[in-house]
Amino acid sequence: MNVSWWRNNEALLRVLYALFLGQVVSFLLSLISFTSSLVSNLGVYTPLTLSFFSYLGLALVYGSIMMYRRQKLLVPWYWYLLLGFVDVQGNYLVNKAYQYSSITSVTLLDCWTVAWVIILTWFCLGTRYSPWQFFGAALCVVGLGLVLISDAGVGGGGGSNPLLGDMLVVAGTVFYAMSNVGEEFCVKKKNRVEVVTMLGLFGTLVSVCEIAIIERESLESVTWSAEIILTFAGYAVSSFMFYTLVPFVLKMSGATMFNLSILTSDMWAVIIRIFFYHQKVDWLYYLSFAIVAIGLVIYSRTEKDPIPVPVPAVENGGDLNAQYQVLGGEESAESRNEDIAL
C-alpha cells in the first residue's frame, strides 16, 4: 500500500522536492550576498580574491572526479576559457558593487539577468518568446528601475555611492547572462561534471591573472583577522554549494520554478538588511519587489514548449545534426546572479 501511494504521488513528491531544493539554493544565494557585503563592510575590497577560493574548490573537487573517471573533454578547452572569463567578470563586478551599494539593491538588480538572457537566447540560440513573456520581462525592468530611482536619492538606498554600485550590478548581469547561456548549452549537451570542473579551473586561472594585475596592492594591504577569514570561508562554502545544487533544480523543474525560487533571496536580503545592518528599507523596495515578482510569474508561467535548435558539433567527429533543447524564455542559472549549471 505504501509503495502504491509513493508511485501514485511521484509527480507531486518531485515537485515538492524541487521546491525544497529551490529554497535551499535561494538561501545559499542570500548567504553569498550577505558574506560579500560583510567583507566590504569589514574594509576588505578584494572581489576577485573572494571568488578565487570558490573556483579553486570547484576545480579541486570536481577535477578529482574527472581524473578518477579518466574522462576526456567533450568540449574544446578554449570554450571553457571563454566561459570562465565571463563568469569571473560577472562575479567581480557584482562583488565590487557591494562597496558602493546596499545588499538589497544588489540582489534585486541581479534580476536584470532575465532581460539579457532573453536577448542572448533570441539571437544566439534561436529561442522565441510570446508577447506575455516580453510583458513579464518589461514589468521586471520597471520594478528594477524603481530601485535605481530610490538609490539615486529619492528614497536613499544606502552605501557610499549607490548609483555607481547599481551600474556595476547591471554590467555584471550582462556577463552572468553570457556565462549562463554558454553553461546551459554545455550542460544540456555534454557532461555536467566536466562543465563545473572546467569552469572552476579556468575561473581560477583567470582570477589569478587578474588579481596580479588589478588587486595585488589591495590584497597586500589587508590586515587579516579571524573574522575576515571566516567571512571568506563562508562565501567560498556558500558559493560552492550554490554552484553544485543549481543544476539539480534546473534539471528537475526547469527555469520556471528556479526563477520563482530564487526570487525569495531578495526577501532574505531585506531581512538581513533590517536585522543585521539595522538599516531602514525604503517603501520603493517593497513596491519594486512586488512588481518584479508579478513580472517573473507572468514570464515564467507563459514559457513555451522546448524548441529544438540545430547547433554545430563542438568536437571532432561529432554529430553535426545534433539538436539542443532550449526551453522557451528560460533563464539559466546563473540568474545572479551566479548561476551555473552542472
Side-chain angles (χ1 to χ4, degrees):
M1 181 176 179
N2 289 334
V3 175
S4 177
W5 185 89
W6 283 99
R7 288 178 179 175
N8 293 336
N9 294 276
E10 183 178 357
L12 175 61
L13 292 173
R14 283 181 60 86
V15 170
L16 292 176
Y17 182 58
L19 278 171
F20 170 74
L21 282 182
Q23 289 311 301
V24 173
V25 167
S26 179
F27 181 69
L28 288 171
L29 184 59
S30 67
L31 286 181
I32 291 171
S33 300
F34 168 64
T35 50
S36 182
S37 176
L38 186 58
V39 166
S40 295
N41 289 343
L42 291 173
V44 180
Y45 306 122
T46 56
L48 288 168
T49 306
L50 191 62
S51 299
F52 165 79
F53 294 104
S54 302
Y55 291 122
L56 181 62
L58 292 172
L60 291 176
V61 173
Y62 290 100
S64 300
I65 296 174
M66 278 194 67
M67 292 179 64
Y68 175 78
R69 293 177 177 176
R70 300 180 183 275
Q71 184 175 320
K72 294 183 179 180
L73 288 181
L74 301 176
V75 177
W77 63 269
Y78 47 83
W79 289 112
Y80 287 127
L81 174 60
L82 180 61
L83 198 62
F85 175 79
V86 296
D87 196 72
V88 169
Q89 308 320 306
N91 281 327
Y92 169 72
L93 290 170
V94 172
N95 287 334
K96 185 78 173 176
Y98 285 105
Q99 295 178 217
Y100 307 105
S101 193
S102 67
I103 183 175
T104 319
S105 300
V106 173
T107 52
L108 276 174
L109 289 169
D110 234 359
C111 296
W112 268 98
T113 306
V114 176
W116 303 131
V117 166
I118 288 178
I119 296 172
L120 288 175
T121 53
W122 181 284
F123 289 103
C124 299
L125 299 180
T127 307
R128 293 298 177 259
Y129 301 92
S130 69
W132 278 107
Q133 287 175 297
F134 283 117
F135 177 68
L139 280 181
C140 292
V141 173
V142 170
L144 298 175
L146 293 178
V147 179
L148 291 174
I149 293 174
S150 178
D151 285 351
V154 174
S160 59
N161 193 340
L163 194 57
L164 173 60
D166 293 347
M167 294 298 102
L168 288 174
V169 177
V170 173
T173 59
V174 177
F175 287 101
Y176 276 155
M178 290 189 289
S179 174
N180 291 340
V181 170
E183 290 160 13
E184 177 184 346
F185 169 76
C186 292
V187 164
K188 292 185 176 180
K189 190 67 184 170
K190 302 301 176 183
N191 183 273
R192 290 178 295 170
V193 172
E194 174 183 305
V195 174
V196 178
T197 300
M198 292 297 104
L199 180 64
L201 175 61
F202 287 109
T204 301
L205 295 177
V206 172
S207 295
V208 168
C209 294
E210 294 192 2
I211 288 171
I213 298 172
I214 301 174
E215 214 168 78
R216 183 170 55 86
E217 292 184 1
S218 298
L219 189 59
E220 290 175 350
S221 66
V222 175
T223 303
W224 295 97
S225 64
E227 186 177 12
I228 293 175
I229 293 173
L230 287 175
T231 306
F232 267 73
Y235 179 93
V237 173
S238 301
S239 184
F240 179 88
M241 293 300 297
F242 177 83
Y243 277 72
T244 299
L245 290 179
V246 164
F248 293 99
V249 180
L250 287 172
K251 193 170 184 65
M252 290 181 62
S253 58
T256 301
M257 192 176 296
F258 178 73
N259 288 339
L260 295 176
S261 296
I262 65 172
L263 187 61
T264 58
S265 66
D266 298 329
M267 291 311 298
W268 283 112
V270 171
I271 293 172
I272 289 172
R273 184 174 174 183
I274 293 173
F275 292 100
F276 188 86
Y277 291 115
H278 305 292
Q279 295 177 347
K280 290 186 63 177
V281 178
D282 190 74
W283 64 272
L284 283 174
Y285 282 106
Y286 297 105
L287 178 60
S288 172
F289 178 84
I291 294 175
V292 170
I294 294 171
L296 281 178
V297 168
I298 294 173
Y299 167 79
S300 300
R301 292 285 294 177
T302 54
E303 283 186 334
K304 300 177 183 178
D305 294 329
I307 303 171
V309 178
V311 294
V314 292
E315 53 183 323
N316 293 331
D319 181 8
L320 291 175
N321 295 318
Q323 298 286 310
Y324 166 57
Q325 295 292 326
V326 181
L327 292 178
E330 177 175 69
E331 178 198 10
S332 297
E334 277 319 88
S335 289
R336 88 104 69 167
N337 298 139
E338 251 84 341
D339 359 19
I340 179 180
L342 258 173

